[in-house]
Amino acid sequence: LAKTTQPISMDSYEGQEVNITCSHNNIATNDYITWYQQFPSQGPRFIIQGYKTKVTNEVASLFIPADRKSSTLSLPRVSLSDTAVYYCLVVFNAGNMLTFGGGTRLMVKP
Amino acid sequence: EPEVTQTPSHQVTQMGQEVILRCVPISNHLYFYWYRQILGQKVEFLVSFYNNEISEKSEIFDDQFSVERPDGSNFTLKIRSTKLEDSAMYFCASGRGSGAINEQFFGPGTRLTVL
């Protein structure tokens, strides 16, 4: 299982774009990159998943370079409510368990 | 929007007692999971369940733990003899388990406190 490394914490201000980078040097061919968000005392919530290049949804964008050894979650114009822990995960296959690391604790300030 | 529900939201028990945590996954999902999160620590996988049997389990999921899908809607986690170190938030999750997106939907959790 590919190990992921991401910053422990980040600070930002309302209205800014936030980019959280995750490294996964040992990612395998069949692995997907997935990001979850967790608010205090709540279950994790799926944000976005991608395999290569760029994926965008209504919440975020995910940038994956050609070698797939890293990925960047981009949150446009964050608000105070985006304060949460963001987890980068490498997922082998649909249905498989999720292996969470420590995540990145994002603090959005006014 | 359908969601995973869990009961109770908070369970307090004495060490050595049995507890059953209950979950109602999203109705058309095929994969079911239990995770736990000790306060201040990361989310840890316990077990996955598919086609009425365990498909994966972690080292944490020892003989004290069991899961069951007693009917078409509920998914339960039983801890036979609770220990102090079982105190944690327990999350149930479900997923379709197919298609390009492997999205697991998590419930709100049950906070288990073992005294």
Side-chain angles (χ1 to χ4, degrees), chain A residues 32 34 36 38 41-46 49 87 91 93-102, chain B residues 31 33 35 37 42-43 45 48 56 89 91 97-104 106-108 111:
Chain A
Y32 283 76
T34 307
Y36 278 75
Q38 187 181 27
S41 298
Q42 293 188 28
R45 186 174 72 103
F46 174 90
Q49 180 175 310
Y87 299 97
V91 181
N93 202 3
N96 278 24
M97 67 181 199
L98 300 177
T99 301
F100 288 84
Chain B
Y31 285 79
Y33 312 83
Y35 294 83
Q37 186 173 32
K42 61 184 181 182
V43 178
F45 168 77
S48 60
E56 284 184 290
M89 197 77 162
F91 295 108
S98 63
I101 301 293
N102 179 13
E103 179 178 357
Q104 292 184 19
F106 284 74
R111 182 172 300 282

Side-chain angles (χ1 to χ4, degrees), chain A residues 4-106:
Chain A
T4 60
T5 303
Q6 53 184 123
I8 293 173
S9 64
M10 292 181 70
D11 288 345
S12 182
Y13 290 92
E14 278 191 295
Q16 288 189 333
E17 178 183 81
V18 170
N19 296 307
I20 306 174
T21 297
C22 176
S23 66
H24 24 79
N25 290 317
N26 296 324
I27 192 167
T29 304
N30 293 330
D31 289 339
Y32 283 76
I33 298 142
T34 307
W35 286 78
Y36 278 75
Q37 174 193 55
Q38 187 181 27
F39 297 112
S41 298
Q42 293 188 28
R45 186 174 72 103
F46 174 90
I47 301 175
I48 197 166
Q49 180 175 310
Y51 184 80
K52 60 181 178 181
T53 64
K54 178 183 173 183
V55 180
T56 297
N57 62 21
E58 64 276 7
V59 175
S61 295
L62 178 60
F63 299 92
I64 305 167
D67 66 5
R68 304 200 327 120
K69 293 183 183 299
S70 66
S71 59
T72 298
L73 175 73
S74 181
L75 304 172
R77 297 181 300 283
V78 293
S79 63
L80 296 177
S81 62
D82 292 317
T83 293
V85 179
Y86 292 82
Y87 299 97
C88 165
L89 298 91
V90 169
V91 181
F92 169 62
N93 202 3
N96 278 24
M97 67 181 199
L98 300 177
T99 301
F100 288 84
T104 296
R105 190 172 298 275
L106 174 66

Side-chain angles (χ1 to χ4, degrees), chain B residues 29-89:
Chain B
H29 286 181
L30 302 177
Y31 285 79
F32 314 109
Y33 312 83
W34 284 100
Y35 294 83
R36 79 171 186 190
Q37 186 173 32
I38 295 170
L39 187 63
Q41 298 187 24
K42 61 184 181 182
V43 178
E44 300 174 290
F45 168 77
L46 294 177
V47 65
S48 60
F49 193 84
Y50 170 72
N51 200 25
N52 286 317
E53 60 183 26
I54 291 173
S55 49
E56 284 184 290
K57 61 181 181 179
S58 71
E59 291 178 355
I60 302 168
F61 194 86
D62 61 21
D63 291 345
Q64 293 299 313
F65 292 87
S66 62
V67 290
E68 195 177 31
R69 188 153 160 85
D71 51 43
S73 59
N74 291 285
F75 181 49
T76 62
L77 174 69
K78 182 193 290 186
I79 309 175
R80 286 191 186 79
S81 178
T82 50
K83 303 187 285 286
L84 295 176
E85 54 265 37
D86 293 327
S87 294
M89 197 77 162

